[in-house]
Amino acid sequence: MMTQYKQAISQYRQRVFSFAYYSLRAREDAEDITQDVFIRLWQHWQKIDHDRIGAWLMRVAHNSVVDHLRRNRHEQQRVDLPDTLEEAVAVEDPGLESEQFRGALESAISSLADPHRSIVIMRDIQGLSYQEIEQTLNLSQSQVKVYLHRARRQLRENRSLRELAIEHNLTGAGEERGRPTETEQGHGAGVNRINTEGISHADQ
Amino acid sequence: MQTNNSSQCQLFQLHIDAYLDDELEPSRVTEFNTHLAGCESCRRELAYAEQLHRAVVSLPILDCSDSALEPVDRLFRAGGTAVTDNMAPVHGTGSGFRAALAALLDAIPAPVRIGVPVAAVLLLAVGVGRQLPAPGGDPGLAVQPAGTATQPQYTEAEVVKAMQDLELALDYLGQVSARTEVLIEDRFLHRQLRESINASLSTDLNHDPQATGSDGPI
């Protein structure tokens, strides 16, 4: 039991923490939630289905995040990074531009309503399978896809984000940062790779 | 966002994520590809959608600090035998029976916490007072009011036993009351007073640039 519990912590701590962090954009709160989630895992160890620990943990994390946001609704509105166009164009360092874009992107994600926010984080950032997301949020696969597409559309329609990206020509902004766990998770396998100068689909 | 009145543009932009995820039927993909070949606006929208998607999937997977999981490690080392004491200290003071009692008392609303013991003491006092003989009188010679049924008579041993029980009950209630009093005093009086004084001192220090550091918070 002890070994399994330890393994579960090392296997899922990043997933739980990342989910909480991108939902709240507050490191300390995310750490508190991570701690709470693993304590609950210990407390419910005998009762849970050990084949679905990941989904169980993410469900607990999701519930904790929702509770936290409900309790701190007003404070949450304050912690969003300023991402107005005026502030964005004032940045001259290309590295900072990327950071600024990333901050604005994180802010836009965290400001999405649930379950859009959770699904974008789980699917696009963490690379979870549709099945894992279904189990976690108790939704059907078609619902997950609909919410995911709506969430992405909302991100695209975020005016500040769009203007920031265009203003600084941040094409491939995310490519500067590696994602060591991406390959392990087989993330993005189903995503078409499109030549931004043209249209790859036209050649298929 | 670029606007385009073409219904084909609207249709494409509605399905742009399904297009990127390769979830469209082949006939629809062909239709969109044909449209894209002649529509600069949709090509730009597609490029932006892909760029944004790449940015999102490239956000790093983060990890919490080890110190955040230290309490979990403590729990793990303790074998999970004292979850409450290790992980969720009650008011940050002590553990075991005292913490458990404090938690128990905390769970009871204040009016009930104070009112019930007081009411119990009063009831006991009234009840026992009615059973006891009049001061100075002989229990065996108590005069019964006319027209009432004869009250049962108690032996001296029974009265002594009742008094002992009463003393025990009063002693127990006294302990509970004292504990409640300490908790209330600490929570509602001392703490608030301390915070109030600290706030006043902080305000004074902020307003007085000449103030020295000797008057720190309590």
Side-chain angles (χ1 to χ4, degrees), chain B residues 55-213:
Chain B
V56 173
V57 301
S58 300
L59 286 171
I61 301 292
L62 304 169
D63 196 3
C64 60
S65 63
D66 287 337
S67 62
L69 291 176
E70 262 176 24
V72 181
D73 283 341
R74 274 212 312 274
L75 170 70
F76 181 72
R77 282 196 299 271
T81 52
V83 172
T84 304
D85 288 349
N86 285 343
M87 306 312 308
V90 183
H91 311 312
T93 53
S95 61
F97 177 73
R98 192 178 167 193
L101 180 62
L104 186 66
L105 286 171
D106 263 3
I108 304 170
V112 179
R113 211 161 49 202
I114 299 163
V116 167
V118 171
V121 169
L122 286 174
L123 278 173
L124 273 170
V126 170
V128 172
R130 290 178 121 189
Q131 302 296 332
L132 290 177
D138 185 342
L141 300 174
V143 179
Q144 299 299 324
T148 59
T150 305
Q151 295 289 324
Q153 299 300 308
Y154 296 97
T155 63
E156 193 172 338
E158 285 174 323
V159 172
V160 170
K161 177 76 169 56
M163 290 297 289
Q164 285 174 344
D165 288 346
L166 176 62
E167 276 176 14
L168 276 174
L170 287 173
D171 187 45
Y172 174 74
L173 286 170
Q175 285 181 30
V176 172
S177 296
R179 177 67 191 155
T180 308
E181 199 174 289
V182 168
L183 282 172
I184 291 171
E185 196 172 306
D186 180 54
R187 172 166 292 188
F188 297 108
L189 299 178
H190 287 180
R191 194 179 298 173
Q192 289 189 359
L193 188 62
R194 197 163 55 232
E195 285 170 1
S196 171
I197 292 170
N198 282 340
S200 302
L201 284 172
S202 306
T203 310
D204 288 346
L205 287 171
N206 288 338
H207 283 298
D208 182 11
Q210 303 300 322
T212 62

Side-chain angles (χ1 to χ4, degrees), chain A residues 18 22 152 156 179 192 201, chain B residues 16 19-21 57 60 62:
Chain A
S18 289
Y22 286 115
R152 287 179 184 166
R156 278 201 305 279
R179 275 188 71 209
N192 288 321
H201 282 274
Chain B
I16 201 165
Y19 181 85
L20 281 170
D21 285 348
V57 301
L62 304 169

Side-chain angles (χ1 to χ4, degrees), chain A residues 13-24:
Chain A
R13 56 186 279 179
Q14 290 183 344
R15 184 182 292 187
V16 171
F17 176 74
S18 289
F19 175 77
Y21 176 80
Y22 286 115
S23 300
L24 304 174

